[in-house]
Amino acid sequence: MRIIFFSLLLILVYGCGSRPKNVTQFNQYPKISPDYINITIPVNIAPLNFKVVDAEEVEVEFMQNDVSLLVCRGGGKIDIPLNKWQGLLEKVNGLVVDVKVTALIDGEWKGYRPFIINVVADSIDPYVAYRLIEPGYELGKRLGLFQRELSTFNETSFVDPKLTSGSCVNCHAFCNYSPKKFMFHSRWDNAGTIIVEPGNARKVNTKTNKVISAGAYRMWHPSGRYIAFSQNKTHQAFHASSDKLVEVYDLESGLMIYDVKNNKVLTDSRFKQKNSWQTFPAWSPDGKYLYFCQAKPQHMPMDYKELKYQLHRVAFDEESGQLSDSIESVDILQDSSKSISFPTISPDGQYLLYTVAESGTFPIWHKDADLGMIDLSSGESIDLSNANSESSDSYHAWSSNGRWITFTSRRLNDMYTTLHFAYFDENGNIHKSFILPQQDPDFYTYFLKSYNIPEFINGRIELSPYELDKIIKSEAQNAI
Amino acid sequence: MRKKESIIWLLFPIIWLFWFFCMSGYIGNMEGTNFFQHGMMYFDNFIDKPGGWSDYAEHFLLQFYQWRWLGALIQTLILVGIFIFTRGIIAKIGIGKNRMIFSSLPFLMTLALQTNLQPIEGQIVEIFFLYLLMWSYLQVKHSVIRYSIATILSPIVFLILGGVGTIALYLSISVYELFKNKGVTRIIFIVLWLLIVAAQPFVWYEYIYISNMEDMYMSLAIKKYIFGIVYGYMFILLCISWANKKFEITKNLLIVESLGILIIFGTILFCVPNYKIESFFKMDQAAIKADWDEVIELAEKLEHPSREELCLTNLALASKRELGDRLFEFNSQMGVAGLYLPREIEYKNSVLEGEFYYRMYIPNEAIHMSLQAAIDSPQGMDFRTLRRLIEINIQKGNTIVADKYLTILENATNYSNWCEDRRAELANPSIVNSLLPVEMDFFIGSRPFISDMARVFDSGANIEMTQEYVLCYLLLNKDLNRFYSFFDTFYKPVGGRIPKIYQEALLYNMLFTKKTLKNNYNIDPEINKRFLEYNASMSVTSKSALGGNKQQIEESMKAFDDTLWYYLNFATLPKVSARGQIIMQ
């Protein structure tokens, strides 16, 4: 009996992790993974579990004004209980938390310089939707669309790869951040564009004889009546030995507007031309302008380095569904030798976020791709060095309150894209970004899929994967 | 009885020897196409999947197949387990004295499945667990405890056995209880079990595990009907038991029974295994190890090699710089299609294309094809692809992603030695890197194949192998003018000697094509002599009674079928599509 009692006690003590003894202090930050040092987070984010590199045991103390609020211990990494973390964030809402890390490394307890976590009251949208895809860049097999609750680790599929095997689902887009009104494409098997509105989900075929292809890159008009699409004849070429692996390019592209109410494709000959390629449509938040990228055609893929997209815009009349006569150039780059993609405008209409790369239309595989931003009212560039990395930083989206951006980046290993968030404060400064938190700090080491096209949503998608699967496999209505 | 059954034990060492010596390709392939990780993140993929626990167990076990002896032992031990449990079941249900044939059939049928189908998704392990669970059920003497355990554990059974296995088990125990026991309680439980078994897949489908309903329930029974026999076997036994058939054991019956088992066993070993696939797997395993002599040796035994086998053979010949000597020793009826595979995204194709580009030192296409192979593998990654990705990324200097893949492989069970060696390479920047350098980049992967090879040749990478592929392609395509131009302008002989086939082409030029070449080339007297013989023989044959019949002439010239001259005269080129598929043979 006594043996059992002591054994249990031993297990209990060992399980809880030992307290640091004879700690040697170091005036440097701990080496932690993921990197959460000196970041800004929303008050409604999931626990920031992390590991200390090479540590056997670790103690992490969250403090505010030298008052200890939460202590977590673990064997090299911490797993903060959700309720305790949420309690902590409530207490420090709008304040700065000091994080003191003590780690047992090579038999010695080391104390590190505390780092800070700035907790801001500007909350982030409750969900982010994304696609998970294997980085094979030619054919996927287990592609699915997922939604992740940002205040917890709950991730669920709304288009499940087990059901849609053989179809490529992509380009999900939500109307005004609504989980009830959205669209996505299904390619290969069961091709079509799935449009979900409250009480009405259907599949449409937007390929008419007036357009080059079915709708590709997309954005909902704020009214919810229209979706602007690009039409692209897309190809791929593979590099034999370059740091870039694949070049994705168009041999023709243009724009079109789909009238959701009347199932009608609206075209304009100016946006389907041989001598200019247009793509990446994006509405201004008031719906009065359509922004897009335009390039002079090149001999592709050989001259891919010469392909430079620049930003333009055209006024739009919501009543008639017509684009105005004049197309304006929006000069946002001092260096015109670069190429712009994925323009998106902040919900208040003041800032324009885009991706800039040396060339081309598919910056996701371009290591040189970075995020860029300008203040549309002053034309001033915003410094995004806190968000950018040495690797490809590409697709991005604004939160509904305009205080957060999410974007994909290959910064961890140049191969698998991960999801990152950065705070954009009211003074127009971007704060240091952080990766989507996972319960296991080693998650990204073992995960073999890429995060693709993150989009914020203001609630959970309630439509079940089975219902969406039925729509995907249904007959597509041809657009007029 | 025990003595009689001990004869069967002699079969298991034979089974082990059979796996070890005759099915080494299967064993290697099973390990290579498997993937496993320790930890909850990986187990999460199986935890709530019907039959997922058997899948998990199978993936765990397959890691050990990297040692052939151990792989063979595990294959055998699964059968031993099935035999032991069947014997126990038969003893419990009172089949009578004629146990030997009944207790042998399940493991023999499973052996047939093992050798003919690639055991995927835990199906063989599921069969093992089915017999284990049935046996365990019968060990519980107290009937109410037995019923209760079977009821409470039904969700676990569903996770272990999946839809078909669960149905088989619960039907079997229902029949057992119905005919072997008495009382109303058993009827209540039988009804309950039937309800559970019927409802379980729907509950899972709606609330627990997103899947197609057919995968949840019936796919095994429908697609692999033979599994139905294995799963239904206990049901048959119970029916026999119920009918209470007992045969008198006579000496003659013993002999007949033993002979029957031996005949079934022999038939399974000789007729059931897919030796053609085994031969390809062996060749493939040799190619992974760059054991080109073994590849060629295996190719020499093949009468009608598949396109994949021919491509591997030609890769082996090119790697040994013998393609220009021995190209026509192997099946050349596929023409240029024997040199490369079509641009089809499918596991086997991607894996072999990955092998080809890796051996050609073209890193990005090797990565590309390996990633495509991973996508097409059942779990989205497999050990073979993972190892290849580690090797290429280390060689290419992509140290961070190489480190990620290495960490993943280290998180499996048995790969520490291999990983240690790769870690050493990763840490050593002076590693020999023969890959195509970054600055020599060009676009690759669009067919025709010859254009890709020409670009590789222009880049200066792996000149010796590439020139063999270019020249042999041109000859196989009967494009002699381009062959002579390329040969005369660019060809650099390896070791100063011109390969046999190229010499044959040069001789052919002297006599027939008569293209003026800038350089002079020495022709081996032996080849000269053979050319004279060929021409003499052709001339005699053509003038003979066979004159008008090309097929008969071809037959009579067979002695020269390893020569270019024969190929130029008699081979019909298959049509190959832009993406490399053979359209018409």
Side-chain angles (χ1 to χ4, degrees), chain B residues 9 13 37 69 119 149 164 225 229 264 293 310 345 380 393 398 406 435 437 455 499 504 507 526 537 565:
Chain B
W9 288 105
Q37 289 281 275
W69 68 270
I149 290 174
V164 176
Y225 62 92
I229 302 170
I264 295 170
D293 290 327
L310 200 54
I345 304 300
N393 280 297
N398 297 339
L406 262 171
L435 297 179
R455 284 187 200 129
E504 289 174 356
L507 277 173
E526 186 57 35
S537 188
W565 319 307

Side-chain angles (χ1 to χ4, degrees), chain A residues 47 102 125 158 237 281 294 343 354:
Chain A
T102 315
D125 291 282
F158 58 99
Q294 181 171 293
Y354 55 90

Side-chain angles (χ1 to χ4, degrees), chain A residues 391-426:
Chain A
S391 298
S392 163
D393 304 293
S394 54
Y395 193 88
H396 47 259
W398 289 93
S399 70
S400 59
N401 60 5
R403 293 274 76 93
W404 295 92
I405 61 166
T406 179
F407 59 96
T408 55
S409 174
R410 287 194 204 275
R411 64 188 59 188
L412 291 192
N413 48 44
D414 281 333
M415 178 58 83
Y416 294 85
T417 49
T418 43
L419 224 60
H420 299 258
F421 300 89
Y423 182 56
F424 184 61
D425 68 26
E426 53 196 6

Side-chain angles (χ1 to χ4, degrees), chain A residues 222-441:
Chain A
S223 68
R225 179 171 166 186
Y226 304 103
I227 304 172
F229 282 117
S230 65
Q231 27 172 325
N232 313 64
K233 204 172 178 185
T234 305
H235 289 256
Q236 291 189 114
F238 307 104
H239 292 273
S241 63
S242 155
D243 284 338
K244 293 187 190 101
L245 293 172
V246 60
E247 204 55 50
V248 181
Y249 56 93
D250 292 331
L251 286 182
E252 248 184 290
S253 71
L255 301 175
M256 65 187 191
I257 292 169
Y258 174 66
D259 181 344
V260 178
K261 194 173 148 195
N262 298 314
N263 189 28
K264 195 172 176 186
V265 170
L266 310 171
T267 54
D268 181 326
S269 59
R270 292 173 299 160
F271 295 98
K272 188 190 149 193
Q273 301 232 333
K274 293 276 177 202
N275 61 359
S276 74
W277 292 343
Q278 295 128 340
T279 189
F280 302 128
W283 298 104
S284 59
D286 58 10
K288 289 183 179 162
Y289 284 95
L290 180 66
Y291 287 76
F292 58 93
C293 297
Q294 181 171 293
K296 198 175 146 213
Q298 300 294 332
H299 182 242
M300 296 299 285
M302 303 320 290
D303 295 337
Y304 77 96
K305 286 181 182 166
E306 306 308 317
L307 187 65
K308 315 282 181 185
Y309 283 83
Q310 301 301 325
L311 194 67
H312 292 72
R313 71 173 191 176
V314 59
F316 177 70
D317 177 32
E318 190 186 325
E319 282 305 307
S320 63
Q322 298 292 307
L323 295 163
S324 83
D325 291 341
S326 73
I327 297 172
E328 301 167 41
S329 167
V330 185
D331 293 326
I332 56 172
L333 289 180
Q334 285 159 354
D335 182 359
S336 62
S337 68
K338 305 227 172 198
S339 184
I340 291 172
S341 41
F342 308 133
T344 48
I345 297 148
S346 62
D348 61 5
Q350 197 182 341
Y351 298 96
L352 189 142
L353 183 61
Y354 55 90
T355 304
V356 58
E358 292 299 326
S359 65
T361 179
F362 204 72
I364 295 157
W365 281 104
H366 286 211
K367 217 174 165 178
D368 51 71
D370 274 326
L371 301 182
M373 193 193 286
I374 57 157
D375 182 336
L376 286 171
S377 56
S378 67
E380 235 175 73
S381 286
I382 310 289
D383 177 14
L384 293 191
S385 52
N386 268 338
N388 285 321
S389 70
E390 294 293 307
S391 298
S392 163
D393 304 293
S394 54
Y395 193 88
H396 47 259
W398 289 93
S399 70
S400 59
N401 60 5
R403 293 274 76 93
W404 295 92
I405 61 166
T406 179
F407 59 96
T408 55
S409 174
R410 287 194 204 275
R411 64 188 59 188
L412 291 192
N413 48 44
D414 281 333
M415 178 58 83
Y416 294 85
T417 49
T418 43
L419 224 60
H420 299 258
F421 300 89
Y423 182 56
F424 184 61
D425 68 26
E426 53 196 6
N427 300 319
N429 298 314
I430 207 93
H431 292 226
K432 184 180 168 184
S433 62
F434 61 95
I435 199 164
L436 174 69
Q438 302 290 351
Q439 182 146 26
D440 184 351

